[in-house]
Amino acid sequence: MDARWPPSSRPLLGVCTLVCLATAAFLGHILLRDSLVAPQEQRRFSQGPEQLYHAHQQGARNPGPQPSPGHPGRTRAAPTQCDVPPNSRFDCAPDKAITQQQCEARGCCYRPATPWPQLPRMGQPWCFFPPSYPSYKLENLTTTETGYTAALTRSTPTFFPKDILALRLDVLLETESRLHFTIKDPTNRRYEVPLETPRSHGRALATLYSVEFQEEPFGVVVRRKLDGRVLLNTTVAPLFFADQFLQLSTSLPSQYITGLAEHLGSLMLSTNWTRVTLWNRDIAPSPNVNLYGSHPFYLALEDGGSAHGVFLLNSNAMDVVLQPSPALSWRSTGGILDVYVFLGPEPKSVVQQYLEVVGSPFMPPYWGLGFHLCRWGYSSTAITRQVVENMTRAHFPLDTQWNDLDYMDARRDFTFNKDGFRDFPAMVQELHRGGRRYVMIVDPAISSSSPPGSYRPYDEGLRRKVFITNETGQPLIGKVWPGFTVFPDFTSPAALDWWQDMVSEFHAQVPFDGMWIDMNEPSNFVRGSVYGCPDNDLENPPYVPGVVGGTLRAATICASSRQLLSTHYNLHNLYGLTEAIASHRALVKARGTRPFVISRSTFAGHGQYAGHWTGDVWSSWEQLSYSVPEILLFNLLGVPLVGADVCGFLGNTSEELCVRWTQLGAFYPFMRNHNDLNSLPQEPYRFSATAQEAMRKALALRYSLLPHLYTLFHRAHAGGETVARPLFLEFPEDPHTWTMDRQLLWGEALLITPVLEAGKVEVTGYFPAGTWYDLQTVPVGAFGSLPPPPPAPLMSTIHSKGQWVTLPAPLDTINVHLRAGHIIPLQGPGLTTTESRKQPMALVAALGTNGEARGELFWDDGESLGVLERGAYTEVVFLARNDTIMNELVRVTSEGAGLQLRKVTVLGVAAGPRQVLCNGVPVAFTYNPDTKTLDIPVSLTMGEQFLISWS
């Protein structure tokens, strides 16, 4: 093992970048202070309401010709003030490519850049706004009980149709760390996202931020009070608010931006002219395309390790454009501008503040954290049973067996075919008797081609009027797996009740345990409908974001189709979320226990109801690598129950790829091996004995760590924390961690460094400052019901100052390190969580340099609803200090009180003790001077206080 810096000049480049950004920020700070004033209570002197802001025309010193008032398309004078730095130019032709004459007719500057970049990457705009471009003017700024309100007026229409020339600004100082402002039409009610968010009944008395306004052109500037850093500055480009085009731009304090899911790529987004399109789409994940989910939230890291977040609560089709200045532009096709700013200041606080608005994650059932297995192509109960039997014979854990479309009759929801699945209910009951669970696929599209009276979901849905309709008021007909289909409108209470009834009725036949909701963007095999879509503004908006297929109806239903709350144009991105809510609700009703829903399509707030898998990924090393930032990203977005299909879904895997994917997948919060109909089989038992042993070792490690993982999910559910998290969340003051997305942490304590490339038997990872203990020194599987893995070679402890370390990584090894200062609970693995939950437990304490460590265990029955409200759980805190380990009983109930503790391993004990006492009684122990490890066999219960000491 060796410690080294990577062979690059990244540290030096990072310093240079930070210096340049700091200089730019300082200059911007000076210039901005000239043009802005703060509301009264943020000033050091008193003044009348009429003096709360002052007029400032950005081009007053050298304005050039002002664009003349007029209608869209009217010719204006070409501006003369066009000396805008290339990286700070904001596109004046977002809707289409235009000529110089057309550009200047818009009142914009034209400066060709050479060469024009190849799509899909953007480049600096040739046609861009001059500083003097007309925008809105702020008027009548007034202090309110919750913040401020003002009128915004525009005298000059833009080049988009149906400008809304009079707007209302409301600024809400909601909490110390949360600012909320909206810009909307005060006279005509527009669509707003029907997401339940916290309501402010007063203004926060002390805030981490200050708010300032520019009168003309209008802008909002938000600063961090502590250092004056500008976090949001919308004065950098004109505000647009037309009926079908809204644009709000802001400067960014750094180039380190993450969020804006769902996309395939690095965790940190590039600010080098990058466009992220949010319009949920059924498409195999690839870079630079709009994927299954839309999350209009970003987290920005700032110099020094602080962070802030911005959430635009808008569900319309949109582009988010990042440019090198750095700056960001939101471009939405409808709705309102509903903006939240989260001040952190720590990155993990930003995530918690965001989740206070969109909702904290649901608590999954314990079995949901075990190993799941699926394949499209298990064409009968006999084949499905054989798979389960093969897994058991090969000693592979399996908690949940899944089926794809194969179980259905003619691929219709809430049916099963009477050929291969005649005894379907009996198979599910057999799984239950073996301590396992069952999940099957359910698509939203309902077959509409069965004879009347022969297919109850359709007949009953028609009767209750639960389907999305076309312009004539008839159910819109699309085409999905069963053929001609209709689509439930999950914004309708009637549809929620209908869905609940269909789920309950099918559950009465087949007692399934969870729902896998797929194809819910919604996906459609024809464009819009089998009869096409009408020719109107919703189908052909003046601005179409960079969607695959070039139109909003590509691979989905007509944008103009009608739902109860609004048009599909507005609600499309919410379809998966609303189905997840409906399915969550239906499972609670049908089963009476904690629901388990895994969805492909997502929107902000999804984690409150369901998990997510990353869709139809290819069996490739590239997709394996990309899965790490994807899992980290969804955890930042409050969807911690997330995973990619282990070994890949599309195409054929290789043995080495499947082993490495299983090792990484053992550290996905949601772990499922799933495979395509036309691919070679990839169940773990299909491979060589060597590969099987490596996979078995990885699965035993996961099952041993499930009590720790479950505790992390409790903290996510109760406190808005992440489960899998990027390194920067724990080490924000170390800039080297900011771009790390080939490693991940589980909570604060475990650092996972997977092999992500073919043919490698070592891996280089970054270890932040501190002491890191190799978890291989602890034989985690030795006290469970599975055969113990062979002993691993003993590794030396890593004492890092913040450095890269190259680690041995033979095929049977994934490197996992325990951070000094932490204690984690382990449990003997089993073939199911039903079995493993009965096994004895162990504690591993990694002492810090001060000899201290801390950890906790949350335990309940693993599936009941309302355990926190009823107090039906056990919570224990473990503390190590002064050569002792003890437990503090936060709460003890029958669930968890009797858990048996059989071993305590202490890492970092400097010298061998002469004696070890357990509750004052001497006990046997072993000490390894090479690894500084103290092993103490004990016979204790978690629900009773204990004290272990050594001298």
Side-chain angles (χ1 to χ4, degrees):
M1 180 192 311
D2 64 288
R4 60 183 176 84
W5 292 106
S8 74
S9 56
R10 274 188 181 177
L12 180 60
L13 286 173
V15 170
C16 292
T17 301
L18 290 174
V19 169
C20 292
L21 285 172
T23 304
F26 176 74
L27 291 173
H29 172 87
I30 297 300
L31 293 172
L32 208 52
R33 282 292 187 191
D34 275 349
S35 64
L36 299 170
V37 294
Q40 183 173 1
E41 53 272 41
Q42 296 177 14
R43 312 275 306 268
R44 294 178 185 164
F45 52 89
S46 62
Q47 53 185 7
E50 71 279 0
Q51 295 173 299
L52 286 175
Y53 58 90
H54 65 266
H56 172 79
Q57 293 189 349
Q58 205 165 357
R61 282 167 288 189
N62 181 21
Q66 295 292 313
S68 60
H71 299 287
R74 180 171 294 182
T75 302
R76 298 173 178 155
T80 59
Q81 191 186 16
C82 292
D83 53 345
V84 179
N87 288 342
S88 299
R89 296 173 180 174
F90 290 84
D91 195 355
C92 185
D95 50 329
K96 59 185 177 182
I98 60 177
T99 65
Q100 179 173 354
Q101 184 179 9
Q102 291 170 321
C103 173
E104 292 174 349
R106 290 182 171 188
C108 291
C109 303
Y110 189 82
R111 297 285 188 276
T114 310
W116 189 255
Q118 295 297 307
L119 293 176
R121 201 171 89 67
M122 303 170 66
Q124 67 185 60
W126 291 16
C127 181
F128 55 93
F129 298 111
S132 58
Y133 192 88
S135 184
Y136 287 85
K137 180 180 180 180
L138 181 81
E139 297 176 331
N140 301 323
L141 182 67
T142 306
T143 301
T144 68
E145 291 183 358
T146 54
Y148 312 101
T149 187
L152 304 179
T153 58
R154 173 185 276 280
S155 59
T156 308
T158 69
F159 47 86
F160 278 100
K162 301 180 184 177
D163 280 295
I164 299 170
L165 300 178
L167 300 170
R168 175 188 170 104
L169 168 71
D170 287 294
V171 181
L172 309 174
L173 283 59
E174 292 191 336
T175 71
E176 173 194 47
S177 55
R178 183 175 78 231
L179 173 70
H180 179 198
F181 67 89
T182 61
I183 300 174
K184 58 177 74 174
D185 184 343
T187 56
N188 298 298
R189 183 168 176 80
R190 293 173 60 81
Y191 164 76
E192 298 182 27
V193 180
L195 193 69
E196 188 175 337
T197 56
R199 293 298 171 201
S200 175
H201 302 291
R203 69 162 59 199
L205 297 178
T207 62
L208 300 176
Y209 51 85
S210 64
V211 189
E212 301 158 13
F213 304 96
Q214 180 168 278
E215 182 190 7
E216 188 173 18
F218 161 71
V220 178
V221 176
V222 180
R223 298 178 191 270
R224 190 181 293 286
K225 277 185 179 176
L226 182 66
D227 54 11
R229 179 178 286 130
V230 174
L231 306 183
L232 189 85
N233 174 13
T234 72
T235 70
V236 295
L239 168 68
F240 277 65
F241 204 118
D243 184 42
Q244 291 182 272
F245 183 78
L246 288 66
Q247 177 166 292
L248 183 71
S249 300
T250 178
S251 63
L252 296 169
S254 90
Q255 295 178 346
Y256 296 97
I257 309 295
T258 186
L260 304 177
E262 185 173 10
H263 57 266
L264 190 71
S266 302
L267 182 61
M268 287 294 163
L269 292 158
S270 169
T271 56
N272 188 23
W273 300 111
T274 298
R275 179 181 64 196
V276 179
T277 300
L278 303 183
W279 182 250
N280 296 355
R281 173 66 146 83
D282 174 4
I283 189 170
S286 56
N288 305 307
V289 300
N290 51 301
L291 299 181
Y292 311 110
S294 294
H295 296 259
F297 163 80
Y298 69 81
L299 182 150
L301 293 171
E302 306 162 27
D303 185 18
S306 294
H308 71 277
V310 176
F311 174 42
L312 175 62
L313 181 50
N314 182 296
S315 64
N316 288 82
M318 72 171 74
D319 281 333
V320 189
V321 177
L322 293 153
Q323 62 191 71
S325 42
L328 176 147
S329 296
W330 304 96
R331 296 178 187 159
S332 176
T333 57
I336 67 167
L337 294 173
D338 189 351
V339 180
Y340 290 85
V341 184
F342 309 104
L343 269 286
E346 306 84 8
K348 59 173 63 175
S349 298
V350 173
V351 174
Q352 289 171 323
Q353 291 154 15
Y354 171 61
L355 296 186
E356 286 171 3
V357 172
V358 301
S360 292
F362 81 106
M363 185 69 184
Y366 197 96
W367 58 264
L369 306 183
F371 181 64
H372 301 252
L373 183 60
C374 187
R375 174 168 189 168
W376 183 12
Y378 292 155
S379 56
S380 68
T381 55
I383 291 173
T384 308
R385 283 187 176 100
Q386 188 63 54
V387 168
V388 176
E389 184 179 338
N390 292 344
M391 289 290 287
T392 303
R393 282 182 179 173
H395 295 288
F396 283 109
L398 174 61
D399 253 275
T400 310
Q401 182 60 48
W402 297 42
N403 277 114
D404 208 314
L405 296 169
D406 309 275
Y407 78 90
M408 296 180 181
D409 178 24
R411 295 180 170 178
R412 297 178 303 171
D413 281 351
F414 308 117
T415 67
F416 62 93
N417 71 68
K418 301 305 189 287
D419 297 324
F421 284 83
R422 180 183 300 274
D423 60 347
F424 190 27
M427 183 194 78
V428 175
Q429 291 162 356
E430 287 170 24
L431 288 169
H432 290 166
R433 287 195 293 272
R436 294 187 169 93
R437 304 303 200 283
Y438 180 78
V439 172
M440 80 282 170
I441 196 169
V442 181
D443 291 337
I446 298 295
S447 173
S448 61
S449 54
S450 302
S454 66
Y455 181 46
R456 177 168 161 76
Y458 177 67
D459 295 335
E460 189 66 11
L462 269 186
R463 186 182 73 79
R464 300 195 203 182
K465 300 180 179 179
V466 304
F467 300 124
I468 294 174
T469 58
N470 59 23
E471 75 278 10
T472 69
Q474 297 301 309
L476 178 140
I477 306 295
K479 193 173 184 181
V480 196
W481 294 115
F484 296 132
T485 55
V486 289
F487 298 84
D489 173 12
F490 293 109
T491 70
S492 161
L496 293 180
D497 290 342
W498 164 82
W499 190 252
Q500 179 175 291
D501 290 345
M502 296 305 104
V503 169
S504 294
E505 289 173 16
F506 192 63
H507 187 267
Q509 299 178 66
V510 183
F512 57 88
D513 300 283
M515 294 174 67
W516 167 26
I517 52 176
D518 191 11
M519 307 290 287
N520 55 345
E521 292 72 33
S523 180
N524 188 3
F525 296 165
V526 296
R527 284 191 165 218
S529 83
V530 294
Y531 304 112
C533 300
D535 183 7
N536 57 34
D537 290 344
L538 296 182
E539 299 297 338
N540 304 294
Y543 177 78
V544 179
V547 296
V548 175
T551 67
L552 298 184
R553 60 185 172 273
T556 191
I557 63 177
C558 298
S560 59
S561 57
R562 298 170 184 174
Q563 300 184 234
L564 178 72
L565 287 187
S566 188
T567 60
H568 194 70
Y569 179 89
N570 293 323
L571 294 167
H572 171 86
N573 281 343
L574 299 180
Y575 196 82
L577 172 62
T578 55
E579 189 196 10
I581 294 171
S583 301
H584 181 105
R585 175 178 182 263
L587 280 173
V588 170
K589 176 73 172 178
R591 300 184 69 248
T593 57
R594 224 173 286 167
F596 181 85
V597 179
I598 297 293
S599 173
R600 190 169 73 180
S601 181
T602 64
F603 185 75
H606 180 88
Q608 196 174 352
Y609 305 98
H612 172 61
W613 98 103
T614 63
D616 298 343
V617 297
W618 285 90
S619 296
S620 71
W621 290 93
E622 179 187 45
Q623 296 272 1
L624 169 67
S625 179
Y626 274 142
S627 74
V628 180
E630 184 91 343
I631 269 66
L632 297 177
L633 180 55
F634 271 89
N635 271 265
L636 295 176
L637 298 170
V639 189
L641 190 67
V642 59
D645 284 343
V646 171
C647 304
F649 175 72
L650 296 170
N652 295 324
T653 192
S654 68
E655 180 166 286
E656 183 191 7
L657 175 60
C658 202
V659 168
R660 293 305 194 190
W661 211 319
T662 302
Q663 290 169 342
L664 173 59
F667 291 92
Y668 292 160
F670 166 60
M671 184 186 190
R672 180 185 71 162
N673 180 321
H674 178 43
N675 196 9
D676 187 23
L677 176 68
N678 299 311
S679 303
L680 293 175
Q682 61 187 36
E683 297 89 354
Y685 56 78
R686 297 281 187 175
F687 298 97
S688 71
T690 302
Q692 287 190 47
E693 187 56 45
M695 294 180 185
R696 205 173 285 116
K697 180 179 173 183
L699 286 163
L701 181 56
R702 178 185 181 86
Y703 272 68
S704 300
L705 289 165
L706 284 183
H708 178 57
L709 180 61
Y710 194 64
T711 301
L712 292 176
F713 267 98
H714 162 67
R715 293 178 65 92
H717 172 63
E721 298 188 12
T722 53
V723 175
R725 63 187 64 163
L727 274 68
F728 76 72
L729 215 65
E730 285 299 317
F731 304 94
E733 294 178 2
D734 180 353
H736 294 99
T737 66
W738 293 5
T739 58
M740 296 294 162
D741 59 8
R742 294 171 68 86
Q743 295 169 274
L744 65 153
L745 290 160
W746 262 17
E748 302 172 353
L750 292 177
L751 176 61
I752 298 99
T753 308
V755 173
L756 302 173
E757 299 173 61
K760 301 292 184 182
V761 291
E762 62 180 23
V763 62
T764 299
Y766 184 76
F767 284 77
T771 300
W772 300 87
Y773 297 95
D774 187 349
L775 205 61
Q776 290 184 82
T777 59
V778 182
V780 295
F783 47 93
S785 61
L786 295 177
L794 296 180
M795 310 296 295
S796 61
T797 301
I798 296 171
H799 302 282
S800 177
K801 296 179 180 178
Q803 62 204 57
W804 296 83
V805 180
T806 297
L807 308 163
L811 187 64
D812 70 342
T813 298
I814 181 170
N815 281 278
V816 182
H817 287 80
L818 178 59
R819 182 181 173 190
H822 294 272
I823 301 173
I824 59 170
L826 303 174
Q827 190 168 32
L831 289 180
T832 65
T833 53
T834 304
E835 189 179 307
S836 69
R837 282 173 58 88
K838 300 172 184 175
Q839 301 299 320
M841 302 192 81
L843 293 178
V844 183
L847 301 181
T849 52
N850 58 1
E852 296 182 2
R854 187 184 187 281
E856 64 183 291
L857 171 68
F858 176 86
W859 194 268
D860 58 16
D861 69 4
E863 65 176 8
S864 289
L865 294 163
V867 294
L868 295 182
E869 294 78 4
R870 293 184 289 108
Y873 62 91
T874 290
E875 188 171 2
V876 183
V877 171
F878 309 106
L879 299 170
R881 65 166 74 97
N882 300 325
D883 297 337
T884 65
I885 291 181
M886 62 178 290
N887 65 342
E888 287 185 356
L889 305 178
V890 178
R891 184 176 185 85
V892 178
T893 64
S894 58
E895 288 297 340
L899 287 169
Q900 301 297 303
L901 178 61
R902 289 291 175 263
K903 183 179 179 183
V904 175
T905 298
V906 190
L907 307 175
V909 179
R914 294 189 305 275
Q915 181 177 251
V916 175
L917 302 177
C918 180
N919 291 334
V921 178
V923 294
F925 65 92
T926 57
Y927 177 75
N928 186 322
D930 296 325
T931 60
K932 311 295 184 187
T933 300
L934 175 63
D935 282 312
I936 310 167
V938 295
S939 183
L940 300 167
T941 57
M942 287 293 193
E944 297 179 1
Q945 283 195 316
F946 61 77
L947 176 68
I948 301 168
S949 61
W950 57 95
S951 60

